[in-house]
């Protein structure tokens, strides 16, 4: 079964701790993306990668970091510098620019 | 600045009552317009891509259309299982692969 997996589904952390969200895809897609979704707001782009070993900042990259060492994997680290980390995080992938993006099931992060 | 506005924010329909959702957009150069369905607590599910004005796509009770300034998602004879939030997004030719999303329309279909 081809698709995108994100783990865990729910994640709880204390303030001041870094946390890494996992995203894996077996669709053989070149491009991968991370979005954040908050109540009453549209999805906002955090980081994206169009090819292995390369990534670009999105609209709200501050306080986040990513890596793209393998085509299948695009983990997101939420650092202690992110002021409002509690949110629903969505990972997506696509064949590339101009193609539709397919989303994973999401990770809901709660930081207290 | 690229912008996407969806209306209405929420829509309540009776089963069988057809209606339309609107997505107005402003981009310097449209690469594509995308419609997604999102159920509570889940990731968005891809529905359609539209690339040029006049284009139409259909899937079951849903039909998406595109003009130079807006897109409509027409829902014909909806059923309760069509209840979800519908998201519209645009991709700008000059912004790499990023999608600009609207805030969504929350659709509720009552039996």
């Amino acid at each position: 079964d081809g698709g995108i997996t994100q783990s865990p589904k729910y994640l709880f952390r204390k303030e001041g701790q870094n946390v890494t969200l996992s995203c894996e895809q077996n669709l053989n897609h070149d491009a991968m993306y991370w979005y954040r979704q908050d109540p009453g707001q549209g999805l906002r782009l955090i980081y994206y990668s169009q090819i292995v070993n390369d990534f670009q900042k999105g609209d709200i990259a501050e306080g986040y970091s990513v890596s793209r060492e393998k085509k299948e994997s695009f983990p997101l680290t939420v650092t202690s510098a992110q002021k409002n980390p509690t949110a629903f995080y969505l990972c997506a992938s696509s064949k590339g620019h101009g193609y539709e993006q397919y989303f994973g099931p999401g990770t809901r992060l709660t930081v207290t | 600045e690229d912008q996407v506005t969806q209306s209405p924010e929420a829509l309540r329909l009776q089963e069988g009552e057809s209606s339309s959702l609107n997505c107005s957009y402003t981009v310097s150069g449209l690469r594509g317009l995308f419609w997604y369905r999102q159920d509570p607590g889940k990731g968005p599910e891809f529905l359609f891509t539209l690339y040029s004005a006049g284009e139409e796509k259909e899937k079951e009770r849903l039909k998406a259309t595109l003009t130079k300034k807006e897109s409509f998602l027409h829902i014909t004879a909806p059923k309760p299982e069509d209840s979800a939030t519908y998201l519209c997004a645009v991709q700008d030719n000059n912004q790499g692969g990023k999608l600009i999303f609207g805030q969504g329309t929350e659709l509720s279909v009552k039996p």
Side-chain angles (χ1 to χ4, degrees):
Chain A
D1 242 356
I4 302 175
T5 57
Q6 291 185 243
S7 60
K9 187 171 182 179
Y10 298 97
L11 193 52
F12 298 88
R13 281 293 182 271
K14 296 290 187 184
E15 268 188 34
Q17 293 179 336
N18 292 354
V19 60
T20 297
L21 281 59
S22 168
C23 177
E24 303 277 332
Q25 55 99 358
N26 61 4
L27 300 169
N28 199 33
H29 285 169
D30 286 318
M32 296 187 74
Y33 310 82
W34 274 106
Y35 292 89
R36 169 183 172 139
Q37 188 173 35
D38 296 282
Q41 297 195 40
L43 276 70
R44 292 182 290 166
L45 183 65
I46 303 173
Y47 268 98
Y48 64 104
S49 167
Q50 297 195 10
I51 197 167
V52 174
N53 292 322
D54 188 41
F55 48 83
Q56 289 78 40
K57 292 181 179 180
D59 299 316
I60 55 166
E62 186 177 348
Y64 299 98
S65 66
V66 292
S67 63
R68 185 86 187 276
E69 296 176 2
K70 298 187 299 181
K71 188 174 184 177
E72 303 80 18
S73 179
F74 191 40
L76 173 74
T77 296
V78 184
T79 75
S80 56
Q82 168 51 232
K83 294 182 180 178
N84 296 297
T86 295
F88 189 47
Y89 289 88
L90 289 158
C91 178
S93 72
S94 76
K95 289 181 185 178
H97 183 38
Y99 291 93
E100 62 274 10
Q101 295 179 18
Y102 293 91
F103 285 82
T107 291
R108 188 166 298 281
L109 173 65
T110 302
V111 177
T112 57
Chain B
E1 182 182 335
D2 296 342
Q3 201 165 18
V4 178
T5 303
Q6 292 187 246
S7 62
E9 289 185 11
L11 181 62
R12 290 188 175 187
L13 299 174
Q14 287 296 126
E15 184 173 0
E17 180 187 2
S18 301
S19 188
S20 296
L21 283 56
N22 178 263
C23 172
S24 297
Y25 64 90
T26 305
V27 291
S28 56
L30 182 68
R31 175 81 180 187
L33 185 141
F34 304 82
W35 281 99
Y36 289 85
R37 169 194 169 124
Q38 186 175 25
D39 292 302
K42 297 190 176 180
E45 174 191 344
F46 170 71
L47 293 174
F48 304 110
T49 308
L50 301 167
Y51 291 108
S52 56
E55 191 175 357
E56 299 182 352
K57 294 266 179 81
E58 284 189 70
K59 180 180 179 180
E60 295 179 358
R61 294 177 293 282
L62 300 177
K63 179 180 175 180
T65 62
L66 181 65
T67 72
K68 288 187 178 180
K69 293 184 178 181
E70 58 191 349
S71 176
F72 291 94
L73 185 65
H74 307 278
I75 303 177
T76 302
K79 298 182 178 182
E81 53 262 42
D82 294 321
S83 298
T85 296
Y86 290 85
L87 303 173
C88 170
V90 298
Q91 192 172 65
D92 189 328
N93 269 323
N94 304 313
Q95 295 289 327
K98 63 185 284 188
L99 293 179
I100 310 297
F101 279 86
Q103 293 184 336
T105 292
E106 186 177 352
L107 174 67
S108 175
V109 182
K110 299 299 182 185

